[in-house]
Amino acid sequence: MRVIVIGAGVLGTMHAWQAVQRGHEVVHIEREAEARGASVRNFGLIWVSGRAAGEELATALRARELWEEIGAAVPGLGFRANGSLTAVTTEAELAVARAALARPDAAARGFRLLTPTEVREASPALRGELLGALACDRDAVVEPRTAQRALREALHRSGRYTFLGGREVRDVTGGNTVRDDRGELHSGDAVVLCTGAWLGGLARELAPELPVRRVRLQMMQTAPLGEQLTTSVADADSFRYYPAYDGAALDAMAAAQARPPIAAEHKMQLLMVQRADGGLTIGDTHEYAEPFAFDVDEAPYAHLASVAEALLGRPLPQVRRRWAGVYAQCTDTSRVVHRERVRDGVWLVTGPGGRGMTCSPAIAETTANELGW
C-alpha cells in the first residue's frame, strides 16, 4: 500500500510512522520546509494526569505506551519518563489533590500525594513554600523542537518513506491523487490530511463545516537553570483547566480563592518542563476568540515568571525566547480528535487541541486500524 500523508506536525508524522511500521510506503508532504506550528511550539509533554475519564484517558495511556516504545527506537526524541508534580499551596488546592487520589482511575494515572518533605526529595529544585504535590508517575516528556526531525530520520532509514517539504497540496483528485503547488501529482491507495491549525484552503474545500476551532497560546523558554528539575511541574491552576479534576473539591477551591485577574483574563495555568539543554519551557495562556493578535502580551509572561519563581524559591534564569502558537481543537472538547472521510480513500484528522503531543501516536494507530492498513 502507498499512503500519502499531508502535514508534517506530530499528528501527520505519527500517521506516517504507523504506515511505515505496518510495511507500507509513505509520501509525506508539508507546506513548510519542516513542521513550524504547534507541534514544535509546545512543552513536549506526554500528559496523562489531567485527562478526562473514558476515551480521552484511554487514548492518553495507550499513547504513553507507544511513546515509550518509539522513544526506545528513536533516541533523538529525548523521551524521558520523568513524571510530574502539581504543586499545591493552600488547603483548598490540597483538597482537590486528595479528591483526585480518590478517583477509581487514580492508580492507572499513577497518582500519588506527596508531603512537602517528599516533594523536596522527588524534586529538590522546588524550594518554595508548598503543602505538598500531586504526583503523576505516568507523565513523560520529549523534545518538541527536534522530535519530528528525529522521527523523519528514522522513517527515511526504512527505505519506504519520502518527505517533500515546501509543497502545499492544492487538490485531491480521483483515484487518491493529490496535486501540489508545483503541479506535481502524487498517487496512493489512501490519503490522510493532518493540517493542524491550517483549516482554510484545501481543508475547507473538503470539509467546509469542520467542528473545530483554533486556540492561541503564549509560551517562553529560559537559559539553563543550573540544576536538574527532575519532573515536569504544574501549579494548581491546572486543576481548573484539566477535566480530570472536575468535582465538588474543585468547585470549593474556585469559591475559596479567586484567580489573579491576569490569570483569569488569559485563562492561564503554569506548566514548566526542563529541556535537554537545562533551560525551562514555561507557559501558557489560552485565547479562543479570533482574529488573534499578531503580537505577544508581556503581562502574562510576568505572571508566569512570578508563579514559577514562587515554586522554585529562586529567580528564573534569563528568558531567551518568547513565542505564540495556534492549535486546532474540537469544539466539543470531550472529543479526542475529529476524524472524517472527506472523499473515498481520503481522511481528514484534526482537532486534538492541547492533547496533540500526548495522544498523537494512539490517534494515528486508531486511524490505521480503522482504515485497515
Side-chain angles (χ1 to χ4, degrees), residues 213 215-218 235 237-238 240-242 259-270 283-289 300 303-304 327 329:
R213 64 178 178 179
V215 181
R216 182 178 185 266
L217 55 108
Q218 291 185 194
D235 76 339
D237 269 343
S238 66
R240 306 174 192 259
Y241 182 76
Y242 289 108
R259 304 174 76 183
I262 189 67
E265 178 187 353
H266 292 272
K267 302 174 180 63
M268 299 171 70
Q269 60 173 337
L270 174 83
D284 59 353
T285 66
H286 300 89
E287 183 180 355
Y288 301 99
H303 174 77
L304 288 168
Y327 59 69
Q329 178 187 59

Side-chain angles (χ1 to χ4, degrees), residues 51-330:
R51 303 302 169 198
E55 179 189 5
E56 183 176 330
L57 178 58
T59 302
L61 286 169
R62 176 55 182 158
R64 170 64 173 77
E65 294 175 357
L66 291 170
W67 270 118
E68 187 159 10
E69 292 175 9
I70 299 168
V74 186
L77 287 176
F79 175 86
R80 304 189 298 281
N82 63 336
S84 73
L85 295 176
T86 299
V88 296
T89 59
T90 70
E91 290 294 338
E93 295 168 1
L94 188 59
V96 178
R98 287 178 175 141
L101 193 65
R103 295 177 58 96
D105 54 18
R109 298 172 190 267
F111 277 162
R112 294 178 295 121
L113 187 58
L114 305 187
T115 67
T117 299
E118 291 169 333
V119 172
R120 302 293 190 278
E121 293 171 351
S123 188
L126 294 178
R127 301 186 184 92
E129 294 295 323
L130 307 178
L131 294 185
L134 181 66
C136 178
D137 295 335
R138 299 298 292 157
D139 288 338
V141 67
V142 295
E143 292 298 304
R145 289 175 178 260
T146 57
Q148 272 61 255
R149 195 176 309 149
L151 286 168
R152 287 202 311 274
E153 290 172 357
L155 287 165
H156 277 299
R157 291 194 290 272
S158 73
R160 287 178 278 108
Y161 174 80
T162 301
F163 178 73
L164 300 174
R167 303 191 185 209
E168 185 172 336
V169 171
R170 292 295 178 84
D171 192 18
V172 181
T173 64
N176 301 333
T177 298
V178 304
R179 177 176 59 84
D180 66 29
D181 57 2
R182 301 185 185 189
E184 295 186 21
L185 301 178
H186 311 275
S187 296
D189 301 289
V191 177
V192 180
L193 294 95
C194 300
T195 57
W198 189 258
L199 303 176
L202 180 62
R204 181 173 293 125
E205 291 176 14
L206 294 172
E209 300 299 330
L210 268 179
V212 173
R213 64 178 178 179
R214 303 200 314 155
V215 181
R216 182 178 185 266
L217 55 108
Q218 291 185 194
M219 297 172 62
M220 61 182 172
Q221 190 165 328
T222 74
L225 182 63
E227 60 182 320
Q228 186 179 10
L229 186 64
T230 56
T231 70
S232 302
V233 175
D235 76 339
D237 269 343
S238 66
F239 290 151
R240 306 174 192 259
Y241 182 76
Y242 289 108
Y245 307 110
D246 289 347
L250 181 62
D251 293 340
M253 185 190 95
Q257 54 188 70
R259 304 174 76 183
I262 189 67
E265 178 187 353
H266 292 272
K267 302 174 180 63
M268 299 171 70
Q269 60 173 337
L270 174 83
L271 295 174
M272 182 163 57
V273 182
Q274 190 167 43
R275 300 269 63 93
D277 70 356
L280 302 176
T281 301
I282 299 173
D284 59 353
T285 66
H286 300 89
E287 183 180 355
Y288 301 99
E290 295 196 59
F292 299 134
F294 61 85
D295 47 10
V296 294
D297 291 340
E298 187 61 26
Y301 289 118
H303 174 77
L304 288 168
S306 69
V307 175
E309 289 177 345
L311 297 181
L312 293 169
R314 54 163 285 183
L316 283 177
Q318 180 185 11
V319 175
R320 286 185 171 174
R321 303 183 183 98
R322 305 176 193 270
W323 67 90
V326 178
Y327 59 69
Q329 178 187 59
C330 291

Side-chain angles (χ1 to χ4, degrees), residues 11 55 330 334-339 349-353 355 363 367:
L11 195 56
E55 179 189 5
C330 291
S334 67
R335 295 182 58 192
V336 174
V337 73
H338 177 73
R339 186 183 290 105
V349 185
T350 187
R355 297 168 288 212
I363 292 170
T367 300

